[in-house]
């Protein structure tokens, strides 16, 4: 997938970013094009080789249809809970690291509901933030809303679902 200067895209580890420019650099005597990104939430600058953007899972911002799918994930029943804390953390960490926005939504849903039932550990509270924050920022950008409005929309969808899948 090709992107253009000024387009808002999502980096799987840093979240929404704007392509500030497309540059060319010499690497081993070969010209290589790069997307120079500015991450919205942190003003971090990241360069991604154009030819590796898809492999690195750089993607466009969510569409309204995809946002509705995210809301459906948040409304869905929670997945059966893994009782062993360390296994639950490892599985959620693996899902977060893959950069899939729907996995972020499912983790936010499950940990958010778990937090309502019983207090999350420090590590799980941190993981809930890691899952929810990029989701809130991306939904806010895609819908042209504030982060607070996007967060309220996501929490409302999460609260409207059921606790555990049958």
């Amino acid at each position: 997938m090709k992107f253009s200067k000024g387009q808002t895209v999502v980096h799987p580890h840093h979240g929404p970013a704007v392509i500030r420019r497309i540059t060319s650099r010499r690497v081993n005597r070969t010209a290589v094009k790069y997307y120079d990104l500015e991450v919205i939430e942190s003003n971090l600058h990241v360069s991604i080789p154009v030819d590796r953007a898809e492999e690195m899972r750089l993607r466009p911002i969510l569409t309204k249809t995809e946002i509705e799918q995210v809301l459906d994930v948040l409304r869905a029943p929670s997945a059966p809970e893994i009782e062993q804390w360390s296994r639950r953390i490892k599985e959620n960490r693996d899902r977060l690291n893959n950069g899939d926005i729907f996995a972020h939504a499912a983790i936010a849903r499950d940990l958010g509901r778990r937090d309502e039932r019983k207090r999350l550990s420090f590590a799980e509270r941190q993981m809930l933030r890691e899952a929810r924050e990029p989701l809130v920022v991306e939904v806010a950008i895609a819908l042209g809303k504030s982060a607070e409005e996007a967060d309220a929309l996501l929490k409302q969808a999460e609260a409207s679902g059921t606790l555990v899948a049958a």
Side-chain angles (χ1 to χ4, degrees), residues 46-147:
V46 179
S47 291
I48 304 288
V50 170
D51 293 342
R52 294 194 52 216
E54 190 171 328
E55 174 189 332
M56 297 178 78
R57 296 186 310 263
L58 196 67
R59 63 175 176 77
I61 202 93
L62 291 171
T63 64
K64 288 188 178 8
T65 301
E66 291 168 326
I67 290 171
E68 194 54 48
Q69 292 170 341
V70 165
L71 295 175
D72 288 343
V73 169
L74 292 170
R75 290 182 196 109
S78 295
E81 191 172 276
I82 298 170
E83 287 300 319
Q84 188 178 15
W85 177 86
S86 60
R87 289 190 61 211
R88 190 171 59 242
I89 289 285
K90 183 186 180 329
E91 183 176 307
N92 283 337
R93 174 64 49 214
D94 291 345
R95 291 169 60 204
L96 272 179
N97 287 340
N98 100 7
D100 177 17
I101 198 72
F102 300 106
H104 277 246
I107 292 166
R109 173 198 66 210
D110 295 346
L111 289 177
R113 290 177 183 164
R114 180 179 172 80
D115 194 33
E116 291 295 319
R117 292 190 324 272
K118 48 182 149 182
R119 191 94 170 120
L120 292 178
S121 68
F122 175 77
E124 284 184 310
R125 278 196 312 274
Q126 189 174 20
M127 189 169 286
L128 176 57
R129 269 192 309 278
E130 286 178 50
R132 191 183 303 272
E133 283 176 7
L135 197 58
V136 168
V137 171
E138 187 171 355
V139 168
I141 291 168
L143 295 178
K145 296 185 177 288
S146 71

Side-chain angles (χ1 to χ4, degrees), residues 136 146-158:
V136 168
S146 71
E148 292 77 18
E149 292 170 315
D151 190 44
L153 175 68
L154 296 173
K155 285 181 179 175
Q156 179 183 9
E158 182 184 304

